[in-house]
């Protein structure tokens, strides 16, 4: 083993006084939740700033999307790789390194002098975010006791929701007063504070794979495959389903994934452990993660056009209205574990998604059809957020409980990967449905800029059934995951105890 690697992975011990405190584990939960907050804050602020960035750099719309896509592509393609490295060398040092890379890249994004520089720095930011994502859930699960795990996952989900809700509000204020560069600099202080807390509070972690064998062949296959999938999901509405770019990208990604599966089955230290895919309870819960975030970001995408273009609201006002969704998630998620105990593991996901489906049905019935739309919109947004707040943490808990203790790290990384892919799926599905429903009666497509407010509201309303269908599928996935886990003879709570 290289002396350089020994020095890099010689993790500092936590501050002894902190480690003796009864609240030490919750300080670690707060640190991990801060990473979730910063990631979602950055994502929503950048989405809001894309029009301003396009005008500043004089970039066409299809190029502007790469400001968001470059981050997402880096995040998903490096996540399995970093998950394996963290198993080999421990999590503390690499988690802190993720924060350092993220805040450095954020600062560089603010100093970017060209469009190309901004895209490169956003890619680097995604690398840092991927290091955080590869560690976050595993650190949380291994730090708190099994009895407190549901509550901790609830606070983690709440932090993500607060970041999402703060993004549109802070983004509108920062863009109006300080300019676009500050939307990147805004996350730097949070990240710097997290580095200090992480150095002092995170416990040492030993690598779980002493052989330290890394699958370079798998890394060369999985990175490009995931990048191609993300590119297709984000551009299918503009490329078209039958275009050479879409078909070629999908064919290449499929070939790379087939080769990856064949390799991972025989390689002794795979990047993604095949055992995870043999566990139907985990697979169903992971599908629920992707579907949950698909409906969330699909709703965000559609309703941002309804509020901004359909109703003609200024960005700040539209952002405040849409913030009802993540605020409701943040208020509900910490108590989702209690609701799971009352309703049962099998019912909580179905009840949660029934609330989300009811919200979609309410919007479908009222959007563009009633005068007092803000009242009905607000009720629907609150119901939708409450549904997701009740869904996310219990579903994550089932996923983690379904796997053996030695696979909790890879499982956490894969859940974050599914979250990112679900985000892309939601935006892509919303964009495709909106483009389809904006077609004029003679079949000619019109851009959203050339459409009237009434046409936009009609197109958004006709796109909402997609979100409703995703809610149904997410509820079924969560129900099947809990049912399958129960049939294995263990409840999620019992499996969590075993994992500890």
């Amino acid at each position: 083993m290289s002396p350089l690697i020994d020095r890099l992975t010689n993790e500092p011990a936590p501050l002894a006084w902190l480690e003796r405190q009864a609240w030490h584990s919750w300080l670690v939960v707060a640190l991990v939740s801060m990473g979730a907050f910063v990631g979602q804050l950055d994502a929503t602020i950048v989405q809001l700033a894309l029009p301003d960035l396009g005008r500043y750099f004089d970039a066409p719309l299809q190029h502007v999307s790469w400001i968001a896509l470059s981050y997402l592509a880096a995040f998903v393609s490096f996540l399995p790789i970093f998950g394996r490295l963290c198993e080999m060398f421990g999590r503390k040092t690499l988690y802190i390194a993720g924060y350092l890379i993220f805040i450095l890249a954020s600062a560089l994004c603010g100093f970017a002098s060209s469009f190309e520089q901004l895209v490169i720095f956003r890619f680097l930011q995604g690398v840092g975010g991927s290091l955080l994502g590869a560690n976050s859930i595993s650190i949380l699960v291994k730090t708190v006791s099994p009895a407190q795990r549901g509550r901790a996952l609830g606070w983690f989900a709440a932090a993500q929701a607060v970041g999402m809700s703060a993004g549109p509000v802070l983004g509108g204020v920062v863009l109006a007063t300080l300019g676009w560069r500050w939307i990147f600099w805004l996350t730097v202080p949070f990240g710097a504070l997290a580095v200090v807390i992480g150095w002092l509070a995170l416990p040492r972690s030993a690598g779980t794979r002493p052989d330290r064998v890394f699958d370079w062949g798998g890394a060369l296959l999985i990175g490009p495959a995931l990048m191609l999938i993300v590119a297709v999901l984000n551009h299918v509405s503009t490329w078209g389903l039958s275009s050479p770019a879409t078909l070629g990208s999908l064919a290449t990604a499929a070939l790379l994934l087939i080769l990856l599966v064949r390799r991972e089955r025989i390689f002794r230290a795979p990047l993604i452990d095949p055992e995870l895919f043999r566990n139907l309870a985990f697979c169903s819960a992971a599908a629920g993660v992707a579907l949950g975030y698909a409906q969330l970001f699909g709703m965000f995408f559609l309703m941002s056009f309804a509020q901004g273009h359909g109703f003609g609201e200024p960005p700040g006002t539209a952002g405040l209205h849409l913030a009802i969704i993540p605020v409701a998630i943040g208020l509900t998620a910490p108590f989702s574990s209690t609701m799971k105990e009352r309703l049962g593991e099998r019912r909580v996901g179905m009840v949660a998604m029934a609330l989300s489906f009811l919200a979609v049905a309410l919007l479908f019935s009222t959007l563009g059809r009633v005068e007092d739309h803000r009242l009905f919109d607000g009720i629907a947004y609150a119901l939708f957020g409450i549904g997701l707040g009740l869904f996310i943490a219990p579903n994550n808990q089932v996923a983690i409980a379904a796997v053996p203790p030695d696979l909790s790290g890879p499982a956490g990384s894969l859940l974050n990967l599914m979250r990112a892919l679900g985000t892309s799926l939601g935006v892509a599905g919303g964009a495709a449905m909106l483009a389809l429903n904006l077609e004029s009666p003679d079949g000619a497509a019109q851009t959203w800029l050339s459409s009237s407010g009434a046409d936009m509201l009609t197109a958004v309303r006709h796109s909402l059934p997609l979100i409703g269908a995703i809610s149904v599928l997410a509820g079924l996935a969560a129900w099947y995951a809990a049912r399958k886990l129960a049939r294995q003879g263990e409840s999620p709570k019992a499996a969590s105890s075993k994992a500890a």
Side-chain angles (χ1 to χ4, degrees):
M1 183 169 50
S2 167
L4 175 61
I5 293 178
D6 273 339
R7 287 195 295 270
L8 289 175
T9 57
N10 185 20
E11 298 179 333
L15 194 65
W17 177 82
L18 275 179
E19 201 171 20
R20 290 195 299 268
Q21 304 308 308
W23 42 263
H24 171 256
S25 61
W26 289 103
L27 180 62
V28 176
V29 171
L31 171 69
V32 175
S33 298
M34 187 183 297
F37 167 81
V38 169
Q40 295 301 326
L41 178 71
D42 177 80
T44 49
I45 282 185
V46 170
Q47 288 288 341
L48 187 68
L50 288 180
D52 290 71
L53 293 170
R55 285 189 290 269
Y56 183 86
F57 291 110
D58 193 25
L61 184 61
Q62 62 269 31
H63 290 176
V64 172
S65 63
W66 278 95
I67 297 173
L69 180 59
S70 59
Y71 176 92
L72 196 57
F75 184 93
V76 301
S77 59
F78 281 98
L79 197 61
I81 297 171
F82 289 150
R84 169 61 185 151
L85 291 176
C86 292
E87 289 178 38
M88 292 165 58
F89 301 114
R91 300 188 179 277
K92 179 173 182 175
T93 303
L94 291 175
Y95 190 73
I96 294 173
Y99 264 120
L100 288 171
I101 294 171
F102 187 90
I103 60 177
L104 173 63
S106 298
L108 290 173
C109 285
F111 286 112
S113 58
S114 68
F115 178 80
E116 291 76 15
Q117 285 184 5
L118 182 58
V119 170
I120 292 171
F121 295 148
R122 282 284 289 168
F123 186 89
L124 181 62
Q125 201 179 31
V127 173
S130 188
L131 261 175
L132 295 176
N135 284 287
S136 56
I137 293 180
S138 180
I139 290 175
L140 185 150
V141 166
K142 292 180 181 298
T143 300
V144 299
S145 65
Q148 298 292 334
R149 194 162 295 158
R151 184 181 170 198
L153 287 168
W155 283 111
F156 181 80
Q160 290 180 314
V162 171
M164 279 184 253
S165 60
V169 178
L170 287 178
V173 173
V174 170
L175 287 171
T177 57
L178 299 175
W180 67 266
R181 296 184 186 277
W182 282 92
I183 68 170
F184 296 106
W185 293 335
L186 190 65
T187 57
V188 173
F190 293 103
L193 177 63
V195 169
V196 175
I197 296 175
W199 187 271
L200 297 176
L202 280 178
R204 283 174 168 169
S205 61
T208 59
R209 302 290 180 90
D211 53 12
R212 297 190 175 182
V213 175
F214 185 75
D215 183 10
W216 291 104
L220 293 174
L221 292 170
I222 195 170
L226 291 174
M227 284 188 184
L228 287 170
I229 292 171
V230 170
V232 169
L233 288 175
N234 282 271
H235 288 285
V236 67
S237 60
T238 53
W239 290 349
L241 283 173
S242 59
S243 68
T246 299
L247 296 177
S249 297
L250 288 176
T252 304
L255 176 61
L256 292 174
L257 289 176
I258 290 171
L259 294 174
L260 176 68
V261 169
R262 293 182 62 182
R263 179 179 177 84
E264 299 300 82
R265 284 177 175 173
I266 60 175
F267 197 77
R268 65 189 178 97
L271 290 177
I272 300 179
D273 200 312
E275 287 297 321
L276 291 174
F277 298 101
R278 298 188 183 103
N279 188 321
L280 292 181
F282 174 80
C283 289
S284 298
V289 170
L291 292 167
Y293 278 88
Q295 63 177 308
L296 174 60
F297 280 87
M299 177 67 84
F300 265 138
F301 181 87
L302 291 174
M303 297 314 297
S304 65
F305 280 93
Q307 299 286 164
H309 189 74
F311 294 122
E313 293 181 344
T317 304
L320 283 173
H321 289 158
L322 288 172
I324 294 174
I325 296 175
V327 166
I329 297 175
L331 293 175
T332 308
F335 308 102
S336 59
S337 181
T338 302
M339 292 301 298
K340 177 177 71 68
E341 293 175 2
R342 291 184 178 181
L343 295 173
E345 290 88 354
R346 301 190 198 186
R347 295 178 183 172
V348 65
M350 296 291 285
V351 171
M353 289 299 95
L355 291 175
S356 295
F357 185 86
L358 181 61
V360 173
L362 178 59
L363 282 174
F364 184 80
S365 301
T366 61
L367 192 65
R369 294 175 172 175
V370 297
E371 292 185 7
D372 191 13
H373 70 88
R374 290 183 180 178
L375 173 62
F376 292 100
D377 293 350
I379 294 173
Y381 292 162
L383 281 174
F384 190 78
I386 291 171
L388 280 172
L390 290 175
F391 178 82
I392 294 173
N395 186 67
N396 283 344
Q397 192 177 3
V398 168
I400 294 298
V403 300
D406 60 325
L407 290 180
S408 62
S413 296
L414 192 55
L415 290 180
N416 277 318
L417 176 61
M418 296 303 289
R419 175 171 58 84
L421 291 176
T423 298
S424 293
L425 178 62
V427 173
M433 289 295 294
L434 195 60
L436 178 66
N437 288 306
L438 278 174
E439 286 187 355
S440 57
D442 60 2
Q446 57 178 327
T447 66
W448 69 270
L449 283 172
S450 66
S451 65
S452 66
D455 287 343
M456 175 58 70
L457 291 175
T458 300
V460 170
R461 187 171 65 248
H462 290 166
S463 301
L464 285 172
L466 173 66
I467 308 300
I470 294 175
S471 299
V472 173
L473 292 175
L476 290 173
W479 172 81
Y480 183 79
R483 176 175 175 267
K484 199 68 181 176
L485 191 59
R487 284 195 169 186
Q488 293 172 359
E490 296 180 282
S491 68
K493 183 176 180 180
S496 296
S497 301
K498 179 182 175 182

